[in-house]
Amino acid sequence: MSRLLEKLERLISLYDFYGPLLTKRQKQAIELYYETDLSLSEVAQQMAITRQGVYDLLKRTERSLEDYESRLRLAAKFQEDRKSQA
């Protein structure tokens, strides 16, 4: 699997676990960019911010999701449980 695909899969998994902890704006950016597959420019237009603003918001959101996982480890525990049940 490519690194980009692995990153996307991880991000989606973390979003599934920690999405409720994100702000409304963070959720909107993630959903438009990753789920709806809009470009940064298209997301910027929809959110009425700059393309750079979208990029920065996505990066901050990704860091937040990784931070939640490093503290709570919900996704890792879920994966461990799935492996032990298989």
Side-chain angles (χ1 to χ4, degrees):
M1 190 182 316
S2 74
R3 288 184 57 88
L4 183 59
L5 206 51
E6 288 175 12
K7 179 185 174 189
L8 179 59
E9 186 177 283
R10 177 163 174 79
L11 182 64
I12 291 169
S13 175
L14 294 179
Y15 182 73
D16 287 344
F17 281 97
Y18 306 112
L21 300 175
L22 299 176
T23 67
K24 185 178 177 181
R25 200 138 172 93
Q26 288 173 317
K27 289 179 197 175
Q28 182 183 19
I30 290 284
E31 290 167 4
L32 289 172
Y33 187 72
Y34 289 106
E35 293 179 11
T36 311
D37 199 29
L38 296 181
S39 69
L40 289 175
S41 297
E42 291 168 325
V43 174
Q45 187 175 19
Q46 291 238 346
M47 295 182 72
I49 60 177
T50 65
R51 184 183 177 284
Q52 184 64 46
V54 172
Y55 178 83
D56 293 343
L57 179 59
L58 288 168
K59 289 301 170 194
R60 279 194 313 274
T61 303
E62 290 171 17
R63 281 193 303 271
S64 292
L65 291 170
E66 289 291 350
D67 186 52
Y68 291 138
E69 176 60 11
S70 72
R71 293 169 190 253
L72 302 172
R73 296 193 23 84
L74 295 177
K77 290 174 187 170
F78 178 77
Q79 289 294 340
E80 289 169 11
D81 288 346
R82 281 182 63 191
K83 287 179 182 175
S84 68
Q85 291 175 359

